[in-house]
Amino acid sequence: DTQASFDGWLANDATRAPGVDLAVTVLTTGFWPTYKFTELALPQEMVKCVETFKQFYEERTKHRKLTWIYALGVLTVKGNFAAKPVEMHISPFQASCLLLFNREDTLSYNEIVQRLNLPDEDVRRTLHSLACSKYKILKKSPEGRTVSASDSFSYNPGFTDRARRIQVKMLAAKITQEEKDSTRQTVDEDRKHAIEAAIVRIMKTRKTLDHQKLVLEASNQLLRHFKPDPKQIKKRIEDLIAREYLERDSANNNVYKYLA
């Protein structure tokens, strides 16, 4: 729905067009894992896209903040090589790196780090995917299978592939146990609030409901976003009783009443 509204918003005023086809998926933080935000010095082509969608979104939603998770993005760009053009499906990190070579023939590792404003680990993964993996879109000097701070890189005009469309994959980032635990804790906390909100909505409408029906209705509401554990729903019911949002029926402990 958001994308359809955005397309209509662009069609109403030709001056708004960012110059490239743009599709944005808006994730609600309460129902998705917490992704690491990585600052990236976007090329002008992408800056225009971000600013255009931000203008549209802020006109529709006054109290929400957009955080751009570039690591989840996908771009389709055309590489003009000597043999033939090749359509490449790549990440924003890779695209931002390749677009540097539209203006420079050769760049050192440190120059690329400064231009992209990315953490060292992300720059190494990006350059490895473009110069050391299956698709050598960039040339690395000296040659080798690893990227180091003393390397320099240049556009490879001789690159070609039998396919006209290729997908250039990035190496997966290493995730520490601490980051996993932190993400799980954040997700659990967000889902806890979502479960409570669903229970309160149901009880506000129904006023009185038995345990099994309440768990079933809450599960059905939440399935659009995630699959809730019935044990978690039970915990949230107990917590809402303790906070006096609900109470047990005096005649039947399995029946709950909503407290206005």
Side-chain angles (χ1 to χ4, degrees):
D1 291 342
T2 301
Q3 185 62 39
S5 298
F6 178 55
D7 292 339
W9 183 81
L10 290 176
N12 287 336
D13 187 345
T15 62
R16 295 169 173 166
V20 296
D21 291 335
L22 173 65
V24 180
T25 302
V26 181
L27 313 179
T28 305
T29 54
F31 302 114
W32 287 81
T34 302
Y35 293 100
K36 184 177 77 171
F37 171 73
T38 305
E39 191 62 68
L40 168 65
L42 294 173
Q44 191 54 45
E45 296 90 337
M46 292 191 220
V47 170
K48 176 69 173 171
C49 291
V50 168
E51 289 178 345
T52 301
F53 188 82
K54 183 181 177 184
Q55 181 188 347
F56 155 77
Y57 196 74
E58 287 180 347
E59 285 181 12
R60 297 177 78 233
T61 54
K62 301 295 182 185
H63 304 294
R64 291 185 181 179
K65 179 186 174 185
L66 283 174
T67 301
W68 294 83
I69 310 299
Y70 302 120
L72 297 182
V74 179
L75 286 87
T76 301
V77 300
K78 184 172 75 173
N80 293 310
F81 302 101
K84 65 177 182 181
V86 178
E87 191 177 280
M88 299 178 288
H89 298 287
I90 54 180
S91 74
F93 292 173
Q94 293 168 316
S96 298
C97 183
L98 288 178
L99 286 168
L100 296 176
F101 293 91
N102 280 349
R103 296 179 288 278
E104 304 277 356
D105 292 330
T106 302
L107 289 167
S108 69
Y109 175 86
N110 289 327
E111 286 173 325
I112 293 171
V113 171
Q114 291 171 4
R115 303 279 181 93
L116 295 182
N117 192 34
L118 276 174
D120 189 73
E121 181 192 350
D122 290 319
V123 174
R124 286 180 188 271
R125 291 194 306 107
T126 299
L127 288 170
H128 186 279
S129 69
L130 297 171
C132 305
S133 62
K134 177 182 177 182
Y135 302 114
K136 293 177 174 55
I137 300 161
L138 297 178
K139 290 181 179 179
K140 186 176 87 69
S141 179
E143 293 183 2
R145 296 183 61 82
T146 59
V147 174
S148 67
S150 59
D151 292 341
S152 62
F153 299 83
S154 59
Y155 159 67
N156 180 11
F159 172 77
T160 190
D161 193 82
R162 284 183 299 177
R164 290 195 172 272
R165 296 183 182 87
I166 61 173
Q167 182 177 2
V168 187
K169 295 183 178 179
M170 290 266 286
L171 285 173
K174 292 180 180 177
I175 301 174
T176 65
Q177 188 60 45
E178 186 180 341
E179 287 175 321
K180 288 180 182 178
D181 292 342
S182 175
T183 299
R184 172 50 55 194
Q185 186 178 353
T186 304
V187 171
D188 287 344
E189 189 65 23
D190 287 338
R191 288 183 174 180
K192 180 176 80 173
H193 296 313
I195 292 169
E196 287 186 357
I199 293 169
V200 170
R201 277 197 305 270
I202 293 164
M203 292 303 297
K204 206 170 185 178
T205 304
R206 304 291 292 276
K207 304 302 181 189
T208 302
L209 205 60
D210 70 56
H211 178 80
Q212 290 300 331
K213 288 182 180 177
L214 178 54
V215 170
L216 181 61
E217 286 197 33
S219 296
N220 289 338
Q221 279 195 19
L222 294 162
L223 273 175
R224 291 174 297 170
H225 309 295
F226 61 91
K227 186 177 180 180
D229 183 346
K231 291 179 182 177
Q232 283 288 11
I233 297 176
K234 185 179 179 181
K235 281 184 183 178
R236 302 284 37 96
I237 291 171
E238 296 293 341
D239 198 52
L240 288 169
I241 291 172
R243 285 150 52 200
E244 298 184 349
Y245 283 88
L246 309 176
E247 69 174 1
R248 295 183 187 276
D249 185 82
S250 57
N252 187 345
N253 262 357
N254 274 332
V255 174
Y256 307 114
K257 292 182 178 179
Y258 176 70
L259 298 175

